[in-house]
Amino acid sequence: MSATSYKSGNVGANIAFLLVGVFFFVSSFFIDRGIYPIWSSGMIVPALLSAVMIGSAAHSLAQAIKARRAGGAIERTFEPRVMGYIAAFLVYIGALFVVPFWLASSIFLLFSFLYWKSLSLVNAIVVSVAVVALSMTLFAKVFYIVF
Amino acid sequence: MEYWIYIAALTAAGTLTGILVGAIPGLSATMAVAILVSLTYGWDVTTALAVIMGIYQGAVFGGSITACLINIPGAPSSVITTLDGYPMAKRGEGGAAIGWACTESFIGGLIGVLALWIGTPLIARVAVGFAPQDYFLLAVFGILLVGSFAEGSFGKAMFTASLGVVLGLIGLDLITGMPRLAFGSDILVKGVDLVTAILGLFGLSEVLFQLYQNSSAHIIQKVGRLFPPMNQLIRCLPLTLRTSAIGILIGALPGVGGPIASTLAYDHAKRTVREPSRPFGEGAYEGVVASESANNAAIGGAIIPMLTLGIPGDAVTAVIIGAFQIHGLRPGPMLMTETPHLFNLIVVSLLLATFFFLIFGFLLIKPFIKLVSIPQNILLPPIIFVTVIGAYAINSSMLDVAWMSFFGLLGFVFKLYKFPIPPMVLGLVLGPLIDETFRRTMISYHGNPIDILGAIVASPISLSVVALMGVTFFLMLRKPRNSKA
């Protein structure tokens, strides 16, 4: 996959943020008001603030469109190498629910060092095991709960 | 006595960690404190606060090391230090630049602690008389200020701040007791845990973004002479005192903190120093003096509104409020009367940290430089692992790890598209306060805006808050001069 296939750019991101604002704005109208009038109910602050979100995102979107039309915008992209690493991180978080903490963490650290080509295989194994072992010693209470 | 030796040792460890973290570009004081806060659940509150205060003081100074040596500020409050610190290093005065930064951070830090010690009890006494509308005005003021001074677009900062407020309101409504924005989910009814969110937003997202940038800056290893000449130090003392005062005042404003304090102090130095050692922007000592004294003085200032009003002075104090919450404490005017020993502990820890970073700064600068030269792709993966442990440690729940991951990825997307994260954290902290005080005000005055306005005009406290807002916006809207003289 090429980097361009992920190129959503600032405009796409701002549209997504605008939709988040709209979602919370609409949702705030479904909040139970109880016995309170609208101006002192639980919906007033979420409704006002999500309206601010919509306005801010729309303003930011307008700026992004203007910059894109002017041709000088530097568009940030989701690069495959970073997306791949995030996917691996999510797999790691999922694995924590089923695999022992130390095992999943050691493998993830080893993978990280190799993925970012920061250490050779032997060094990566040594550092990963050392980091997990050191953490287990320092945060013994946490690890006691995990096991 | 043994107790204070123990506190001193913890503060020293925190300061050392803070200098290291602050010196590594991309790893901020906020991130270090966020990770540590999550791990302090099982600790005694005094132990946790001593280490946190050490990290806070150490990291703000630590940020100046790489600002001077490689033109990359280790912390946001050191951005202005690069303007003259790096030109000094390029002239072969890297050691002198760090020496100036260390000495001035020390003096600024001492003045900030003094202001904290004197100012907090006075403001706490006034704060007891604050009405809901005063808290509401202050909280909104804090969010607006952060929005005004966020890098890039005001709209983006307001978006993240508003999202923070709305996310902070998910869960049970404190006034009605009804679920709000929970969408029928038992998980959402419990609300968003502040520390988990902070850990993801400042910990995981920072690491992912650093890996995304894949930066590998080359550190200048040769630093030369460290100690600034005594006659120059004495000559700069009046400037140090003035810029430290600016640091305290700006730091004490809700939601602003060190980066703005150092910017305004630098601007003040340029306006008032008639004969700088060199032109500003070309290695003037006075530039480093202004920036570093102000950003460390701002620490004492930022803690004042946190302790007295429960309103964070900057992003780090927003995280420290999370530490208080973990230990079942609520910062505010009553904290001073109910737990005065914690106030004394904070003052003593900050004071000790100020002396420790002076000592460590001069003695250990060379090993520090070697340590911060370690490539980031070796340093960062273990930090991801620590954020996962930290999230789990809060409630011994994998759900918190999932929440932390969600906020980490959200923070990464925000960073990618230059949406600032600190306003979101302030929104999370201030959201419940804004909601509660706004609605209590509306209930008290039956939603009548004329009555509310009348109450604000009739109350000296409310009028003072409004005047403070006006003066601050006026001062902040004055554009600083260009960096080059």
Side-chain angles (χ1 to χ4, degrees), chain A residues 8 10 14 17 32 39-42 52-53 56 60 76-77 81 96-97 105 116 118 135 139 145-146, chain B residues 39 155-156 159 162-163 178 180 211-212 377 384-385 392 396 398 414 416-417 419 435 439 442 446-447:
Chain A
S8 58
N10 290 345
N14 280 297
F17 293 140
D32 191 339
W39 35 262
S40 57
S41 69
V52 173
M53 279 165 71
S56 308
S60 184
R76 287 270 172 88
T77 54
R81 71 189 171 99
L96 286 176
F97 286 89
S105 300
W116 296 106
S118 43
S135 307
F139 308 115
I145 299 164
V146 174
Chain B
L39 297 172
K156 286 180 176 179
F159 176 85
S162 307
L163 180 62
M178 302 293 287
R180 190 161 43 161
L211 289 169
Y212 169 80
N377 53 9
I384 293 186
F385 173 56
Y392 186 83
S396 308
M398 285 305 293
F414 278 160
L416 201 62
Y417 294 109
F419 279 69
D435 180 62
R439 288 165 62 196
M442 295 302 267
H446 306 287

Side-chain angles (χ1 to χ4, degrees), chain A residues 113-125:
Chain A
F113 290 131
L114 297 176
Y115 190 82
W116 296 106
K117 293 177 185 160
S118 43
L119 293 171
S120 65
L121 179 63
V122 177
N123 285 343
I125 292 170

